[in-house]
Amino acid sequence: MPLRRLHTRLLLAVSIPLILVSTTLLPVLHVHMETRLNSLSAEADALLKVGQEALTRDINESLNYALAIAEMPGLRRYLTAQSLTTLTEQQYSLSDLSQLSNFLTTLISHNSRYTKLVLIDNQGREVLRAPRSIETGPRISGNLHVNTDYFIEASKLLPRDLYISPPGHNLQFELFGRDVIPVVNVSTPVFDATGERRGVVLLSLNWDYLTDALRQAMLLDQNANTLLVDAQGKWLLNEGIESIDTASFGGNFAALSPQYWQAMQQRNEGNATVDNHLLRFQTEDIRTQRYRSLAGTIFSDNADHPWKLGATLPRPTWLSLFKEETTVLWFLLLTYGVAVAFGIFWSISSQRQRELRQAAQRHAYEVSDLYENAPCGYHSIDKSGLVVKMNRTELAWLGYSAKEVIGHINYRELITPETREEFEKAFQNVKDNQSGSAECTLLTRNGEQRHVMIQGSAYTRNGRFVHSRAMVFDLTERKQLEEKLRAQAMTDPLTGVFNRRYLQAQAKIEMSRARRQNHPIALITIDIDHFKHINDEYGHDVGDDVLKNFTQIVSDLLRQEDLLCRVGGEEFAVLLPNTAIELAQQVAERIRASIEEATTLVEYEGTQQALKITASLGVTSVRDQEKSLKPALKRADIGLYEAKENGRNQIIIHTE
């Protein structure tokens, strides 16, 4: 009996500690596994967010690039010249073409994101290519694009609309350097200043470059994999993944990896566990508002959209957890009672610490997210003006990364010289522990200006200034509205040129500059002959078209510093700074001859008719002693009326 009791006690002494140790160890491992899974899920979310931001940024920059090129005045004029029937009618010289071609070639050659830029006329003919081909000339036939999806679809679009070919569709592979790569074709229509459709701009994106940038952005974990497939299950990345059955670009991902494809097809976004991997994915549609940026509407092939962007990470196993906890496990098994007490304490405290840590992380994330993504900018600068902190909103305004700004740039360098003095006054008030505010203009990385209101206060420690805490409110839209209203007040709404009010205001400035620099100023007044007859016979709509065509002809003949204004119904004035009366007479003769030679096409009673017009011109010089433009206008008008009395379509110089 005693021996039997001894055996029972020994069995209990051994069994109970083992049971307690096992009971203690299992929750610890479970908590650890849950923590690892939560961390893995958070990491997958971070990977996906970074990838989505990189994809959105790269595509939006590419689309904005295409729109900017399509709205280039030189490109529009070249397409307009291509629509003329003979070379002798073209107003676009070979030197102009060479400059345009060199400029576009430089743009494309210095940006690895693009492979080529092609300019296509309304008939689908290729009229210009960058990088330049040996066929480039003023009237090349080029390659025919008339049957391609990007030309057909772009020809239907409105200004600032875009069409994007699915990756690998129509000219899907190109020789780029020594490599054959897939491309994505972005096309947009080109309209001239009168709203006439002149052709299509095609910009081919290097899909390898974009997908490499996406991979690099999501390369936060060496065990992570990036997935990008279209709505048909086609693989869109330039390389496959060894751990997943995928092919290179264009492979059938849906057939090779059906489990992944089925998980991604069921929802627009979410998590799934496939082959002991955590899959995190979401839907990306380049036709949505997020990808439009400066574009109007984006069109593409509906069958290939939307895409699925995903990230995979290997899930932890119990075996890996046991390997990580070997020391603790053996210690607990060897020390029995101490191990039991330690295990219970560690389990409870670990769970509590985990809850507190998660709560602290959530709170820190909410505070950080509120600071970083606030609708206004936040920054802190030290006593010398060096930036010590800046949120993402203001960094995005400026176009810099945090690493480039924080600890490296003095905030004064980001403010234009014209508004720097107001900033210095406000900053001095902050350093004196007072509130300070200033309306300043920030200079962004790409040279643009952004008008802001800065309101700052001081952060002190033991009564000493440590750094400022400033809020920055964007006033750009307000400033733009003010500029727009000012421009509308100074601009003729029909022709788009300046009006009499602007002419008088600008003339004072030019006359003052001419007196200081001892330069001559000339003035030309122009009146369209028999314009009342055009209005009476064809109607005011035709008359408006004549006025707009007239201003376009005259504008093309003037220098950048010359000023064309509409001062009456069909009367215009041209102010020519730094121009002697002899040179002004030559300019007037070019204007008269160009108007006489030009033809205005108008719609009248359902048919298109060609109108020929002439103009009478008066020329004079602005005298040094004159304080306003009124006397010169009167002299030029006298010459103008004399030209009309002498039979019209002529120039009269009046200097008395």
Side-chain angles (χ1 to χ4, degrees):
M1 179 65 73
L3 185 59
R4 184 177 179 181
R5 184 177 297 175
L6 177 61
H7 288 166
T8 303
R9 289 179 178 178
L10 288 174
L11 181 61
L12 292 174
V14 173
S15 301
I16 292 176
L18 288 175
I19 295 172
L20 292 176
V21 168
S22 300
T23 305
T24 304
L25 183 61
L26 288 176
V28 171
L29 294 176
H30 179 75
V31 170
H32 192 48
M33 175 65 81
E34 183 180 354
T35 301
R36 289 287 303 276
L37 291 175
N38 289 341
S39 175
L40 190 70
S41 179
E43 183 178 355
D45 286 339
L47 287 173
L48 200 60
K49 182 178 180 181
V50 169
Q52 182 269 322
E53 291 176 351
L55 188 63
T56 302
R57 181 185 63 250
D58 287 344
I59 290 180
N60 279 347
E61 289 178 1
S62 302
L63 301 186
N64 293 342
Y65 205 80
L67 290 174
I69 292 175
E71 294 178 354
M72 288 175 54
L75 185 143
R76 289 176 170 177
R77 288 191 291 107
Y78 179 66
L79 269 179
T80 302
Q82 290 296 309
S83 66
L84 300 176
T85 58
T86 65
L87 285 173
T88 58
E89 295 178 356
Q90 294 190 35
Q91 300 179 8
Y92 207 94
S93 67
L94 286 174
S95 62
D96 290 336
L97 171 60
S98 178
Q99 292 177 3
L100 177 62
S101 179
N102 289 335
F103 177 72
L104 295 178
T105 297
T106 301
L107 285 181
I108 299 303
S109 300
H110 287 76
N111 197 327
S112 301
R113 183 180 297 171
Y114 311 104
T115 63
K116 70 175 184 301
L117 183 147
V118 179
L119 191 60
I120 308 168
D121 64 17
N122 285 331
Q123 287 71 45
R125 295 190 301 265
E126 180 177 316
V127 296
L128 190 64
R129 172 183 287 256
R132 295 171 295 182
S133 70
I134 60 174
E135 296 179 321
T136 300
R139 295 290 291 178
I140 65 170
S141 60
N143 298 321
L144 286 177
H145 300 258
V146 68
N147 294 322
T148 60
D149 63 331
Y150 51 79
F151 175 77
I152 294 172
E153 296 299 329
S155 299
K156 307 173 185 176
L157 302 183
L158 298 175
R160 302 190 73 80
D161 287 351
L162 290 159
Y163 175 79
I164 303 178
S165 295
H169 189 65
N170 268 99
L171 301 180
Q172 58 179 346
F173 295 98
E174 291 187 353
L175 184 63
F176 187 69
R178 295 185 177 180
D179 300 323
V180 176
I181 61 169
V183 300
V184 171
N185 293 312
V186 178
S187 57
T188 185
V190 179
F191 292 82
D192 61 17
T194 64
E196 185 74 16
R197 188 185 299 271
R198 292 301 182 186
V200 171
V201 167
L202 168 66
L203 189 64
S204 294
L205 308 182
N206 184 338
W207 189 244
D208 279 358
Y209 179 91
L210 293 181
T211 54
D212 282 339
L214 176 64
R215 285 179 177 273
Q216 291 298 322
M218 298 180 68
L219 195 60
L220 302 179
D221 188 322
Q222 61 180 0
N223 296 319
N225 291 314
T226 304
L227 285 74
L228 184 63
V229 295
D230 66 11
Q232 302 296 324
K234 183 172 65 177
W235 185 252
L236 296 182
L237 296 179
N238 55 350
E239 295 179 2
I241 301 173
E242 293 181 0
S243 59
I244 303 174
D245 291 332
T246 60
S248 58
F249 174 81
N252 192 342
F253 174 80
L256 293 173
S257 303
Q259 291 179 315
Y260 283 90
W261 177 241
Q262 290 174 6
M264 297 171 72
Q265 265 194 318
Q266 293 175 358
R267 293 171 291 172
N268 288 332
E269 62 177 347
N271 298 313
T273 301
V274 182
D275 292 337
N276 205 29
H277 280 73
L278 175 64
L279 169 64
R280 180 75 172 90
F281 64 93
Q282 69 180 32
T283 299
E284 293 292 329
D285 195 336
I286 61 175
R287 302 166 298 178
T288 61
Q289 183 67 40
R290 183 171 67 195
Y291 285 92
R292 290 183 186 174
S293 188
L294 300 178
T297 304
I298 297 175
F299 299 87
S300 188
D301 192 344
N302 294 330
D304 295 275
H305 296 282
W307 298 343
K308 296 288 186 179
L309 174 66
T312 67
L313 288 167
R315 286 173 56 90
T317 63
W318 286 109
L319 180 60
S320 64
L321 291 181
F322 276 120
K323 289 181 179 180
E324 294 174 2
E325 302 292 336
T326 301
T327 302
V328 176
L329 179 62
W330 281 108
F331 179 76
L332 291 174
L333 292 174
L334 293 174
T335 57
Y336 288 108
V338 175
V340 170
F342 178 78
I344 295 173
F345 173 78
W346 183 84
S347 177
I348 296 174
S349 63
S350 176
Q351 180 68 18
R352 180 58 179 166
Q353 288 175 3
R354 175 175 168 274
E355 293 174 353
L356 293 175
R357 184 170 59 253
Q358 289 180 339
Q361 289 175 346
R362 286 195 300 269
H363 180 69
Y365 175 81
E366 291 172 356
V367 174
S368 175
D369 184 73
L370 179 62
Y371 176 87
E372 294 292 347
N373 301 303
C376 62
Y378 284 101
H379 68 255
S380 296
I381 57 178
D382 63 15
K383 192 173 183 178
S384 66
L386 188 67
V387 179
V388 296
K389 197 172 184 181
M390 183 175 289
N391 72 342
R392 293 177 184 171
T393 301
E394 191 168 359
L395 287 170
W397 291 349
L398 296 171
Y400 292 96
S401 66
K403 291 182 179 179
E404 293 174 316
V405 174
I406 297 175
H408 294 88
I409 292 182
N410 191 297
Y411 198 79
R412 296 180 180 87
E413 300 173 9
L414 303 173
I415 299 178
T416 59
E418 295 79 8
T419 59
R420 196 170 293 166
E421 182 179 355
E422 187 173 355
F423 167 79
E424 292 289 356
K425 293 179 181 178
F427 186 41
Q428 186 59 47
N429 289 337
V430 173
K431 289 192 288 186
D432 294 338
N433 203 20
Q434 302 175 9
S435 61
S437 63
E439 187 170 335
C440 303
T441 302
L442 298 181
L443 189 63
T444 65
R445 185 172 195 165
N446 58 10
E448 297 178 353
Q449 293 186 354
R450 184 179 289 268
H451 303 285
V452 298
M453 170 64 73
I454 304 176
Q455 295 181 348
S457 61
Y459 174 75
T460 60
R461 186 182 296 120
N462 298 326
R464 300 181 62 182
F465 177 87
V466 178
H467 57 72
S468 70
R469 296 181 294 191
M471 294 184 295
V472 185
F473 301 96
D474 189 3
L475 305 180
T476 304
E477 292 185 359
R478 193 191 76 180
K479 290 291 184 180
Q480 291 175 346
L481 179 59
E482 293 174 355
E483 290 297 325
K484 183 177 180 181
L485 293 176
R486 188 181 70 84
Q488 289 177 349
M490 296 292 184
T491 305
D492 176 47
L494 174 63
T495 62
V497 300
F498 295 110
N499 58 18
R500 178 186 289 270
R501 180 187 299 176
Y502 185 82
L503 173 65
Q504 293 172 344
Q506 192 66 21
K508 291 182 180 179
I509 298 174
E510 295 296 340
M511 292 168 67
S512 176
R513 181 184 294 115
R515 283 192 293 269
R516 291 196 307 269
Q517 300 177 356
N518 195 26
H519 288 166
I521 302 179
L523 179 69
I524 303 173
T525 56
I526 312 170
D527 190 90
I528 301 175
D529 296 332
H530 303 296
F531 185 74
K532 185 177 183 302
H533 173 72
I534 294 175
N535 277 336
D536 293 342
E537 182 173 351
Y538 296 98
H540 290 281
D541 289 341
V542 172
D544 291 345
D545 290 340
V546 170
L547 288 174
K548 288 187 284 188
N549 189 60
F550 169 84
T551 56
Q552 184 63 49
I553 294 172
V554 177
S555 297
D556 291 342
L557 298 173
L558 299 178
R559 304 170 299 180
Q560 184 176 3
E561 62 268 25
D562 298 337
L563 184 63
L564 172 64
C565 299
R566 184 183 181 189
V567 297
E570 67 273 17
E571 185 176 352
F572 295 80
V574 181
L575 187 66
L576 303 172
N578 195 18
T579 304
I581 190 69
E582 296 81 7
L583 183 57
Q585 182 181 5
Q586 297 176 15
V587 174
E589 176 57 28
R590 286 201 302 270
I591 293 174
R592 186 205 64 77
S594 297
I595 294 171
E596 183 181 22
E597 294 172 1
T599 299
T600 302
L601 298 178
V602 298
E603 291 288 339
Y604 179 67
E605 295 182 351
T607 61
Q608 193 173 58
Q609 298 189 19
L611 295 184
K612 303 287 287 186
I613 61 172
T614 61
S616 301
L617 299 90
V619 183
T620 189
S621 59
V622 181
R623 298 169 183 172
D624 293 342
Q625 68 273 20
E626 293 175 345
K627 297 182 179 180
S628 70
L629 194 64
K630 186 175 181 180
L633 276 172
K634 185 175 181 180
R635 290 194 299 275
D637 283 340
I638 292 174
L640 173 63
Y641 297 141
E642 186 176 342
K644 285 189 173 293
E645 291 174 357
N646 292 344
R648 296 182 171 83
N649 192 24
Q650 57 183 277
I651 302 167
I652 297 297
I653 300 175
H654 189 86
T655 58
E656 297 180 359

